[in-house]
Amino acid sequence: QVQLVESGGGSVQTGGSLRLSCAASGRTFSRDVMGWFRQAPGKEREFVAAIRWSGGSTYYPDSVKGRFTISRDNAKNTVYLQMTSLKPEDTGVYYCAADIAAAYGIEIGPDQYDYWGQGTQVTVSS
């Protein structure tokens, strides 16, 4: 059974940094895409970053491009999200997700992802 466990959330001030981790287990993820999403109160879940496990290609929306970096450690089966220059609008619950056997490119819609972690809170104060 696939399990995704996030950690690393917390509270920081504007301009600060955080690194989120997502420990994945339950299958070999070599054909999969791992993504990060966030959800603020009253808003829809928003795509933040994704990485193809094999090859390491990545994709970011403009809202985080240049500030966030997604990476993976194959030996630890862990995906990371390094967040810098954080802004109050980055506040939300951050979720790790797996798009199993993703055939083409990288999907940004949450409905395309098959497994989700429990989420970790990130709060950025001004």
Side-chain angles (χ1 to χ4, degrees), residues 11-62:
S11 296
V12 296
Q13 293 189 327
T14 297
S17 299
L18 282 173
R19 189 178 81 155
L20 307 183
S21 299
C22 172
S25 63
R27 64 177 271 116
T28 300
F29 292 92
S30 59
R31 297 174 56 204
D32 305 333
V33 169
M34 304 298 292
W36 285 95
F37 291 77
R38 66 188 179 193
Q39 189 164 20
K43 294 189 176 182
E44 293 185 352
R45 196 162 292 191
E46 176 189 16
F47 171 78
V48 172
I51 187 167
R52 182 168 285 277
W53 206 281
S54 175
S57 58
T58 59
Y59 184 74
Y60 307 90
D62 288 343

Side-chain angles (χ1 to χ4, degrees), residues 87-104:
K87 307 174 182 179
E89 52 264 43
D90 294 319
T91 295
V93 178
Y94 281 67
Y95 298 91
C96 176
D99 180 4
I100 300 299
Y104 305 108

